[in-house]
Amino acid sequence: MMAERTSLRIGVDLGGSKTEVIALDRESGKELARRRVPTERGSYDGTLRVVRELIEGVEGELGRAGTVGVGIPGTISPRTGLVKNANSTWLIGKPFDRDLSAVLDRPVRLANDADCFTLSEATDGAGAGAESVFGVILGTGVGGGLAVHGRLVRGPNAVAGEWGHNPLPWPGRDELPGHYCYCGKTGCIETFLAGPALERDFGGGIPAAEVVRLATEGDDKAEGVLSRYEDRLARALASVINVFDPFVIVLGGGLGNVSRLYRNVPKLWGEYVFSDAVDTKLVAPKFGDSSGVRGAAWLWE
């Protein structure tokens, strides 16, 4: 059975709004199957069930089984072995990797979703061959991961790249004291750059994708919202460049699909980076907003 299990690499991306599974051929890396369903929000047992059903579904479809890697919007605490820092708060304090391993009856490798995204793009994606890559998630939450020479940077606290819970740099008066964050603080970058933050800035319950569309069509209010977003993103990324100085920054998550960010943000961040020039490249992910699920599958490489 173990030999059969190693014939596939299965990756799961547990996002704030969707849960996705991918099955790759273990030898060639070719994508064989992919499924996506809404995330079972608020239910820990429901989350375990959905992940199990997705994995069993693709394995049944292919008639093969595989190793399982999972990306979550949080991480496992090295001290307690329990989930911490998850904006999917129903996971916090749970032994998610152990419980999932039990329901699947096999070992499971788990990593932060931004780390999985970064691993994917640094290995054979938009950051392939770069000495250093900062991978960004701009979705329901804001996360990040660091890779050097194609390998994830891991520290003793399992928080490398967690820029979303630093304060927004160089805030204006209208940005203080900032919005409350689920982490217990106010003014976190996540509260300004996550999709719900952009929607809140526009108001009226308009989805972020619609705000982007309105701006493209010349709506002044939507243009103002996106311009503020771009300046905030430039400031937030400049603070990363000042510390890590990556060769490449890759944007993922739903807002990573907004093409104007790649034109406008590099025009703005020079004002904030402590350098006479900024040669860091800001690029779109080669594998789109689903790149993280590929990185989860590669956790068994």
Side-chain angles (χ1 to χ4, degrees):
M1 186 65 176
M2 182 56 67
E4 180 189 17
R5 284 180 176 172
T6 60
S7 67
L8 295 177
R9 299 181 191 275
I10 296 174
V12 178
D13 180 32
L14 179 58
S17 58
K18 55 88 179 173
T19 300
E20 186 171 14
V21 66
I22 193 172
L24 306 177
D25 181 81
R26 186 166 185 83
E27 298 303 323
S28 68
K30 179 182 178 181
E31 180 181 327
L32 302 176
R34 182 191 295 256
R35 296 184 180 187
R36 178 186 289 193
V37 298
T39 291
E40 189 81 11
R41 294 188 59 81
S43 171
Y44 182 71
D45 290 339
T47 299
L48 289 169
R49 174 182 53 78
V50 166
V51 173
R52 187 195 73 235
E53 289 174 352
L54 282 171
I55 293 170
E56 291 176 347
V58 297
E59 289 183 331
E61 174 187 338
L62 298 172
R64 301 160 64 183
T67 55
V68 175
V70 183
I72 68 167
T75 192
I76 296 293
S77 167
R79 176 168 293 189
T80 67
L82 307 176
V83 174
K84 66 175 183 177
N85 298 349
N87 61 3
S88 297
T89 53
W90 59 94
L91 300 178
I92 293 176
K94 303 291 188 179
F96 186 66
D97 54 344
R98 300 199 297 274
D99 287 343
L100 185 59
S101 177
V103 300
L104 293 174
D105 190 27
R106 75 189 78 170
V108 171
R109 290 186 180 176
L110 186 148
N112 177 264
D113 55 357
D115 283 345
C116 292
F117 170 79
T118 303
L119 180 62
S120 173
E121 292 297 326
T123 300
D124 59 351
E131 289 188 36
S132 56
V133 176
F134 181 58
V136 170
I137 297 294
L138 298 173
T140 305
V142 171
L146 306 174
V148 176
H149 300 302
R151 290 183 173 272
L152 289 174
V153 174
R154 302 182 187 275
N157 306 300
V159 294
E162 283 289 5
W163 70 312
H165 294 280
N166 288 339
L168 182 72
W170 303 283
R173 290 184 178 181
D174 60 335
E175 295 170 330
L176 293 172
H179 297 280
Y180 177 79
C181 182
Y182 77 90
C183 74
K185 298 180 175 60
T186 57
C188 289
I189 287 171
E190 179 165 309
T191 67
F192 289 98
L193 295 183
L198 188 147
E199 295 166 3
R200 182 183 61 237
D201 196 9
F202 187 85
I206 305 300
E210 179 67 8
V211 177
V212 174
R213 186 189 67 80
L214 289 171
T216 302
E217 295 178 353
D219 182 272
D220 289 341
K221 181 179 179 182
E223 176 60 34
V225 168
L226 275 181
S227 293
R228 285 192 294 276
Y229 185 91
E230 288 165 348
D231 183 66
R232 289 164 177 165
L233 180 56
R235 281 181 270 157
L237 291 177
S239 68
V240 173
I241 295 172
N242 283 341
V243 173
F244 184 58
D245 201 15
F247 282 81
V248 175
I249 296 176
V250 189
L251 302 184
L255 289 169
N257 295 320
V258 181
S259 59
R260 59 180 279 170
L261 298 181
Y262 302 97
R263 299 190 305 271
N264 295 341
V265 171
K267 296 176 182 177
L268 299 170
W269 64 19
E271 181 179 348
Y272 306 105
V273 176
F274 189 57
S275 176
D276 60 337
V278 185
D279 292 322
T280 298
K281 295 179 180 179
L282 182 67
V283 299
K286 178 178 179 180
F287 299 107
D289 62 358
S290 295
S291 189
V293 75
R294 293 181 73 258
W298 285 108
L299 289 174
W300 282 88
E301 175 60 27

